[in-house]
Amino acid sequence: MKLLVTLQACLCLCTLLSVGGFQMLHTPTHTRNKDTCLLSASTDADFSASRLRSLKFIQLTKQTEPALLADYLMEIGASSVSITDHDANTENESPMFREPLDCDLAAIICGDAAVGKNMWLRCDVTAHFTNSFDVLGIVDNVRTTFDLEKCPRFEVDEVPDLDWVKVVQSSWKPCVIGGFILRFPWHTEEDVKESVEKFGAGAVSDFEQLLLEGGIAFGTGEHPTTQLCLEWITQVLKEDESVEMFLDYGAGSGVLGMAACKLNDRVEAVGVEIDLDAIRIADANAVANEVPMKNYLPRQLGSDDESASVIMKAMQRSSVEMMPEELDGPRFDACAANILAGPLCSLAETIASMLRPGARLGLSGILNWQGEDVVDAYTQYFDDVKVEKEKGGWVLVTGVRKAS
């Protein structure tokens, strides 16, 4: 499968996601133009063979097949490869993935894009190689392998030898959302205090704190959809004191279910998730925050083949528990589901079957142009289904479970 972006976890920190493409964190030190074919590589004596260099091919058109080039670079040993929009953040930019243009966060829509069928008019292909590779030899191989008349333009850059985990951690500040502070294990009390002061509302003691594991599970609080859901949960639990069983469908890090538990001591949360790592992280987060939340694989395989396949594989190779049968029914008083519009639409009947009559529903992970589709999918099972709120190009859809 041709991937638009193929990144190893330990190296993906070298790029920043931006609207319509990526931006490199460092400045090129060597630049090639399209008319020359020789470039002197770095000869620093202290340059270790394990250090990384960045090889960036510039302004490639669709005819050059950037996706195929990316696959080729990975095959010959690149540590990571990314395809980016050369015209990102310029008047020539043509967004391919329906990015909210008024938001700093890009929204990547899967489908054809996920298998490399969509491509920008002009692309940059960036690969990271260890210093043991002959970068100029790679460039020449690209020219001959792709039968090019001359070398494509490229840049060679040294990737800074930094502790990228610490670099990224330093950029993740405690997140203040409504009545919550979302923090990570490396945050100090001073970090938390600074974030609250920047937010400009009250003292640290006025907020409920949630400690999140800095793992791979989605849900750190910075994304507009997480913020929309947290704000909705706060509103629901203030308005309805009868909520005792809370469903977090597509739990990720478990942040939404844990937030419900923090707001009301009577609330018990259950998370449903198909990602094994996310389930483990969410359970660990619940223990760390001392809240009554447990996360499970869903009992139902789902209506699409991909979800069914993921769930079946997880069942075969993991000790993670499946949703207990006694919970797989109209047991829940409220539900938040922060996934994506497509899966949300296919899960309408499943989610409805788990909520009691009168239960409150909050859905996000939905771009503003997808809101009405989600509303239509849930109207059969819920009353007063509507797009209630918008933030950064994303929307919150709410409803109340019908009596029958």
Side-chain angles (χ1 to χ4, degrees):
M1 181 174 69
K2 298 178 182 178
L3 295 177
L4 281 179
V5 181
T6 308
L7 296 173
Q8 284 189 350
C10 63
L11 298 173
C12 67
L13 309 179
C14 298
T15 55
L16 289 174
L17 189 60
S18 66
V19 176
F22 291 86
Q23 297 177 327
M24 298 306 294
L25 286 177
H26 45 272
T27 304
T29 56
H30 303 287
T31 303
R32 280 290 309 264
N33 63 46
K34 62 184 178 180
D35 299 318
T36 60
C37 288
L38 296 177
L39 175 68
S40 297
S42 173
T43 57
D44 293 346
D46 62 346
F47 207 63
S48 168
S50 63
R51 289 278 300 275
L52 292 174
R53 282 191 291 177
S54 170
L55 172 60
K56 181 177 182 180
F57 293 95
I58 304 170
Q59 290 185 331
L60 302 179
T61 64
K62 291 183 179 181
Q63 288 70 30
T64 316
E65 298 189 84
L68 189 59
L69 174 59
D71 288 342
Y72 173 77
L73 295 172
M74 285 298 294
E75 287 295 324
I76 65 174
S79 299
S80 67
V81 180
S82 63
I83 302 177
T84 62
D85 183 4
H86 179 80
D87 297 311
N89 302 316
T90 72
E91 61 182 13
N92 296 321
E93 180 181 6
S94 298
M96 296 299 297
F97 306 110
R98 297 184 182 270
E99 304 94 320
L101 296 180
D102 59 345
C103 177
D104 291 335
L105 297 169
I108 298 179
I109 306 304
C110 295
D112 286 349
V115 292
K117 294 181 181 178
N118 291 337
M119 198 63 64
W120 296 287
L121 295 177
R122 297 192 300 176
C123 298
D124 295 338
V125 176
T126 304
H128 288 153
F129 290 94
T130 58
N131 197 45
S132 58
F133 279 81
D134 178 4
V135 174
L136 296 181
I138 292 171
V139 173
D140 192 53
N141 286 340
V142 167
R143 180 183 61 81
T144 56
T145 301
F146 286 80
D147 195 25
L148 303 175
E149 292 184 2
K150 51 190 174 183
C151 297
R153 291 180 58 197
F154 70 91
E155 298 173 350
V156 178
D157 186 12
E158 297 175 7
V159 178
D161 186 19
L162 301 176
D163 185 337
W164 289 105
V165 172
K166 289 185 177 179
V167 170
V168 172
Q169 286 181 351
S170 67
S171 68
W172 288 357
K173 304 300 182 183
C175 189
V176 181
I177 308 171
F180 296 97
I181 299 171
L182 276 58
R183 60 185 297 181
F184 293 93
W186 58 84
H187 288 146
T188 65
E189 293 303 320
E190 187 61 31
D191 292 332
V192 173
K193 183 179 178 181
E194 288 179 5
S195 292
V196 171
E197 290 175 350
K198 183 177 180 181
F199 186 73
V204 172
S205 58
D206 297 333
F207 297 84
E208 293 287 351
Q209 294 195 37
L210 287 172
L211 178 65
L212 300 179
E213 173 66 34
I216 63 175
F218 181 83
T220 65
E222 293 184 312
H223 199 273
T225 60
T226 310
Q227 296 176 22
L228 286 168
C229 287
L230 286 173
E231 291 167 358
W232 175 80
I233 291 169
T234 301
Q235 176 186 343
V236 166
L237 291 182
K238 284 182 178 179
E239 295 175 352
D240 189 350
E241 296 183 357
S242 67
V243 174
E244 295 184 355
M245 292 292 292
F246 186 90
L247 178 63
D248 183 353
Y249 207 103
S253 65
V255 61
L256 302 182
M258 292 190 298
C261 294
K262 283 283 190 177
L263 288 171
N264 191 325
D265 292 339
R266 296 194 308 272
V267 172
E268 178 182 345
V270 171
V272 177
E273 177 59 65
I274 65 173
D275 185 285
L276 297 179
D277 293 316
I279 291 175
R280 295 189 183 100
I281 290 172
D283 282 344
N285 284 335
V287 172
N289 287 278
E290 300 180 338
V291 296
M293 180 177 184
K294 178 66 177 172
N295 298 272
Y296 303 96
L297 287 168
R299 294 189 67 83
Q300 302 183 45
L301 295 182
S303 59
D304 63 285
D305 293 339
E306 184 176 359
S307 294
S309 176
V310 171
I311 296 169
M312 290 179 67
K313 290 178 180 178
M315 292 166 55
Q316 293 171 1
R317 65 182 179 87
S318 175
S319 59
V320 172
E321 297 178 52
M322 183 178 290
M323 172 78 81
E325 189 171 354
E326 61 268 23
L327 292 177
D328 192 29
R331 292 288 310 278
F332 295 93
D333 305 308
C335 170
N338 183 18
I339 316 177
L340 288 173
L344 283 174
C345 289
S346 65
L347 287 167
E349 183 176 3
T350 299
I351 291 176
S353 70
M354 302 179 73
L355 301 185
R356 66 167 179 78
R360 304 278 291 273
L361 177 72
L363 308 173
S364 198
I366 308 162
L367 288 162
N368 51 18
W369 59 273
Q370 299 170 321
E372 291 306 318
D373 291 337
V374 177
V375 169
D376 291 343
Y378 281 79
T379 298
Q380 178 180 350
Y381 310 102
F382 293 82
D383 290 323
D384 195 27
V385 185
K386 65 187 180 219
V387 174
E388 183 167 312
K389 204 170 184 180
E390 186 272 343
K391 179 173 289 190
W394 301 85
V395 298
L396 172 76
V397 171
T398 61
V400 179
R401 183 69 171 102
K402 289 183 176 180
S404 60

